[in-house]
Amino acid sequence: MLSFDDVVARFEPVIGLETHVELGTRTKMFCGCPTMFGAEPNTQICPVCLGLPGSLPVANRAAIEATIRIGLALNCTIATWCRFARKNYFYPDMPKNFQISQYDEPLCVDGYLDVEVDGVTHRIGIERVHLEEDTGKTLHVGGATGRIHGATESLVDYNRAGIPLVEIVTKPVPGTGALAPAVAKAYVTELRDVIRTLGVSDVRMEQGSLRCDVNTSLNRPGGDWGTRTETKNVNSLRSVERAVRSEMIRQGNVLETGGTIIQETRHFHEDTGDTTPGRSKETATDYRYFPEPDLVPLAPDAEWVASLKAALPELPRVHRQRLQQDWGLSDLDMQSILNAGAVELIEQTVAAGASPEAARKWWLGELSRRANESGVELASIGATPAQVAQLQALVDAGKLTDKLARQVLEGVLAGEGDPAAIMAARGLEVVSDTGALTSAIDEAIAAHPDVAEKIRGGNHAAAGVLIGAVMKATRGQADAKTVRELVLQRLS
Amino acid sequence: MIKETAAALGAKIAAGEITSVQATQAHLDRISEVDGRVHAFLHVDPEGALRAAAAIDARIANGEQLGPLAGVPIAVKDVIATKGMPTTAGSKILEGWRPPYDATLTTRLREAGLVILGKTNMDEFAMGSSTEYSAYGPTYNPWDLTRIPGGSGGGSAAALAAYEAPLSIGTDTGGSIRQPGAVTGTVGAKPTYGGTSRYGLIAFSSSLDTPGPCARTVEDTALLHSVIAGHDPMDSTSIPQPVPDVVGAARRGAAGDLSGVRIGLVREFTGEGAEPGVMSVFRDAVESLTKLGAEIVEISCPHFLYALPAYYLIAPSECSSNLARFDGVRFGLRVGDDGSRSLEEVMSVTREAGFGPEVKRRIIVGTYALSSGYYDAYYGQAQKVRTLITRDFTAAFEQVDVIVSPTTPFVAFPLGSRTSDPYQMYLADLYTIPTNLYGGPAISVPCGLSEGLPVGLQIMAPTMADDRMYRVGAAVESVVGTLTPPAL
C-alpha cells in the first residue's frame, strides 16, 4: 500500500475543478419565483419552474450581470454573442427533463485565478464560466440509506428548481505535485472569497450554494496525462483537500499494482474521507445538447461589460496586500493568517475595535487551536469577530486578565452570549476594588509575618508567597501585577 | 345568426341589437346539432361561455366601450392553456389535465371580451396534416364528412366551416393553420414568428410554433389577429415592436385595388405532385390578381426544395426535447405506478401508453438527429438549410411585395388514405413549410373549388409585414367571395 508520499514520488497529478455557485438573485433564473433558502417545500414554484406544458423561460438579467462580473473578476473574455443550450436527460428533479445550460458557447471564457500556497503563487487557468438553472431536490424516504434503492417513496422539492447556477470550470492544472490537495483547497477558497467580495452569492458550502467537483488523474513523470475521475459530493473546503489526497492515493495504488483507472464519477464520503464509484462514463447519458430555442441569444453589449468591469470591487488578493501593509505584517505572518482562513475574521475583528495584533493573537492562537481540536472551519467555530473584539476590549480595560478572558471565551463558544454578559454571569471580572484587595493583603501579611519581615528587609522576591495567598483568596480574579505593587507599597 | 361574420356580430352586440348571450347560445345550439358528426370540439364549456357572455352583456349595458369583437364567441385549439378548462393537445398523456394558468393569448381573448366556447380537436401535439392523429378520434370536413379537415388544426377550421364558431385560434408549425383553412374553405393566418406570444402554447417545435387567427373572412381574421398579436414579456422570442395595421390593410384590400403591388411566383414550385385541379384554380386566382392591377414576377427560391427534409429534422429534434416533460411525475397520465416498477420504468410505460404513433415517430427521429455523432449531419445541416431558405426569402422580397402559391398541393383527401405512408401525409405541407423556417407571415384564403372542394391561395409576406398579406388576401376575397359548404 503506497502512502501519499510514495504516490507523489512516483506519479505527477493533474487536477481540475468544476464549481457550481448558486447566485443570490432575488428571483429565479427563468421566472419570477423567490429564491429564499429553507422555505417550505414546493412553495416557491410557478408554471415556468415546474415546467408545466406551455410555460416559457425568460432570462434573468441580474443573473447574467452577476455571471459577467464573476467572469471579469476571473480575468475572462466575455462573449459578445452566445446562447443557452438544452441538456437533455430524464430525472424527476428536472421539471422539463432537460436543463437549460450553456454548451459550446459559454458566457465567459479563458481566464485565470492566482492562488497562493505557502507563499508561492499558482496561476489556475479558467476554461469557462457559464450560467444554468439548478434542479429540484429529491428526498428518498423509507429506505435505510436515504438513497433511491430501498426507498418506499421519493419526494421532490422544486423550490430549488430554476435557481440561477454559475458553473466555473478550470483548465487542467498540472505540476503541483505533493501540493495538489493544498492548491485545490486554495483555489476553492480564493474563488469563494472572490465571489463573496462580488456580493453575488453567499457561497456557503454547507447550504449547497457553493458545490465542488474535483477531477484528478495521475501520470508517470514525462508520460501522457492519465485517465481522470470526477469526485462529487465535496462539501467543504477541508473536503476538497481530503478528496484530492484520497483520490491520488487510491489511483496511485491502482496504477502501481498494474491496474487501470476507469473514467467515472466517484462520491466523496465526509466520514471516511474515501471515494466510492458512482456512475461510469461508459453508461453516461448522451445529453443531446442543442441551442435553447425558447430563448433569444445573449449579446452583452461592450459598454455594459466595460461599465461592469470598471465597477468591480477590490478583489481579495489586492485587498489582502493592502491589509498586510495596514497591519504591518511580514509575508510569513500574512501567509499563516491566510492558511488559517482568518483574513476576513481578523479584518472584521479589527473593524469592531480590536488592534490587529490582538485580533491576530485570538484567531490564530486560542481559536485556531480549538477549531483544530473539534475539526471545524475557523469561521464556523461559534465566536463572531464582534465578540472577540469585545473580549479584547475587556482585557484592555483591565476587567479581564488573559486567563480570565480564556474562560469567558469558553462561555462564548458554548453559546452563553456575549463576553460582557458571560463575565458578569460567571462572576469573572478582575477584582479591582482596592478596599477588597487591601483587606486580602492585610490578611495575607497577618498569616505570613515571617515573609512580611523578609520583604521589609528588602527581599522583594519573597513577595510571591503573599501574592499567591491574595490570588487564592480572590479566586484568581485579581490582577497579579496590581497585587504585587500593593504588597510592596504596604511593606516598604 | 351563426352565419354572420364576427365583425357583424360584434357590431350588433355593441349596438345592443343582440346580446352576447344570444350569440353564444346560438353557437352552442349549433354545436349540439352538428358536432356529433363533425367532431370539431374536444371540450365544450356552455356554462363558462354563457357566464362570460352575460358578463360582457352587463358591461355593455353599463355603457362601457369595448373592442370590436367583445361578446363574440370563439373556439380555441386544445394546445393553448386555458385556466381550469381541459387542455389535452389531442393527447392521451394530458387527458384530464386542467392548466392552473391562462396562456397569454387566452388572457388577451378574455380581455377583449371574446367568449370561449370550448377547445378544438387537433392532431396529437399538433403533429399531423389531417387531425386523424388526435387521440380522441378524427374531425370530419364539413364539405364532405368522409374527408379530412386538414391538420393539425382540423377542429379549429371545421368549427368555422360548420358554423359552430365565427372565430377560432390555431397554431402553425408547418402549416397547421393554413392547410386546414385551405381544405375547409376558410381563412387562416400564420403571423410573423414572435408576433404572437407562445406563452401557454404547449410546445411542439419552439422555433417554429406560431399561434394565429382563423375565421371565415379576411377582415374577421385581421380583427382577431390584432387582438392576439403584440409583444409579451413572458415570451423571450416575442418581438418588441408594434403590430402592423392588419385591419386597415384588410379593409384597403377589400376595395379590390392592387395596383403597384408586385406578386412573386416561385419558379421551383412547378406544381409537380400537385393535383391539376388545384393548380388550375390557383392559376385562375393569380390571373384575377393581375386584373386588380398587381404585377406578377417570377422569382427563384432554389432552397425551397429542401424545406421539407430540413423541417422534418428541426421540428422532431425540438419536439423530442419539448415532450420530455410528459413523464407522469407532475401532471397528466401516469401508468404502471403499482410499486412493481422503478421510476424510470413508470416514466417509460407512461410514455408508451400516452403517446400515439406519429408523436413517437417524431420523438425517435428527433432523438436520433440530436445524438452525439449525428448532430452535425442532421440537426446542424438542417439549420444551414434553414439559413439558406431565409436568404431565398430575403432576396425574393427585394423584388416583390408578397409571394403566392397554392396553400396545399391537394384538396381534402379521404380519411385513412394517407395515414399508412407518413411521407404522403408530410407532402400536404410542401408549400407552407418554407415560411415557418423563415419566420415570416402567411395567410391562406379560399380561391375556388376543385371537384367541389375548396382550394386555398397562400400569400407570404416579409417578417413583420403581416399587413401586406391581409391586403392581398382581402383583394382575392373581393373577387372570389366566401365559399359556402353544403348544408350539414
Side-chain angles (χ1 to χ4, degrees), chain A residues 47-48 50-59 86 88 90-92 94-98 148 156 158 286-296, chain B residues 97 100-101 193 198-202 206-207 233-237 318 320-322 324-327 329-331 343 347 351 367 370-372 375 379:
Chain A
V48 177
L50 276 183
L52 292 189
S55 64
L56 292 175
V58 176
R86 289 191 186 174
N88 294 285
F90 281 85
Y91 206 74
M94 292 277 303
K96 304 179 292 289
N97 285 321
F98 61 79
I148 192 161
V156 193
Y158 293 104
D286 178 349
Y287 291 124
R288 295 179 286 120
Y289 281 102
F290 74 106
E292 167 57 274
D294 282 331
L295 290 165
V296 288
Chain B
W97 185 62
Y101 76 107
Y193 176 84
R198 290 186 297 117
Y199 188 77
L201 155 62
I202 298 176
S206 307
S207 73
M234 296 292 279
D235 176 358
S236 158
T237 61
E318 292 181 5
S320 73
S321 173
N322 282 330
R325 73 191 64 196
F326 301 99
D327 58 8
V329 173
R330 292 166 315 285
F331 47 78
L343 182 72
M347 285 184 181
R351 289 166 66 80
T367 302
L370 288 176
S371 300
S372 99
Y375 181 95
Y379 187 78

Side-chain angles (χ1 to χ4, degrees), chain A residues 160-213:
Chain A
R160 201 181 68 177
I163 287 185
L165 207 54
V166 171
E167 182 174 318
I168 301 152
V169 184
T170 68
K171 293 176 179 171
V173 184
T176 54
L179 285 179
V183 169
K185 181 186 176 188
Y187 165 77
V188 179
T189 309
E190 186 72 14
L191 182 65
R192 181 198 63 180
D193 293 348
V194 165
I195 290 169
R196 189 186 287 151
T197 303
L198 294 173
V200 296
S201 167
D202 57 7
V203 281
R204 296 170 74 161
M205 290 189 91
E206 72 282 7
Q207 289 190 355
S209 58
L210 177 75
R211 311 200 279 269
C212 195
D213 301 338

Side-chain angles (χ1 to χ4, degrees), chain A residues 444-469 487-488 491:
Chain A
I445 292 171
H448 302 281
D450 50 331
V451 177
E453 207 47 46
K454 280 183 190 166
I455 298 169
R456 283 199 188 92
N459 183 0
H460 288 187
V465 177
L466 295 183
I467 295 167
V487 166
L488 294 180
L491 298 175

Side-chain angles (χ1 to χ4, degrees), chain A residues 344-362:
Chain A
E344 210 175 319
L345 296 166
I346 292 174
E347 190 186 1
Q348 288 168 6
T349 308
V350 170
S355 70
E357 188 48 42
R360 189 166 74 96
K361 186 195 72 186
W362 282 114

Side-chain angles (χ1 to χ4, degrees), chain B residues 1-20 23 27 60 67-73 166-167 215-217 219-221 223 251:
Chain B
M1 200 186 304
I2 56 170
K3 297 203 172 173
E4 297 269 19
T5 63
L9 279 177
K12 286 182 180 175
I13 292 168
E17 289 172 36
I18 57 169
T19 64
S20 175
H27 287 93
I60 289 171
L69 296 179
V72 178
L167 296 171
R216 287 189 296 265
T217 69
E219 188 193 16
D220 281 0
T221 311
L223 284 166
R251 289 181 180 149

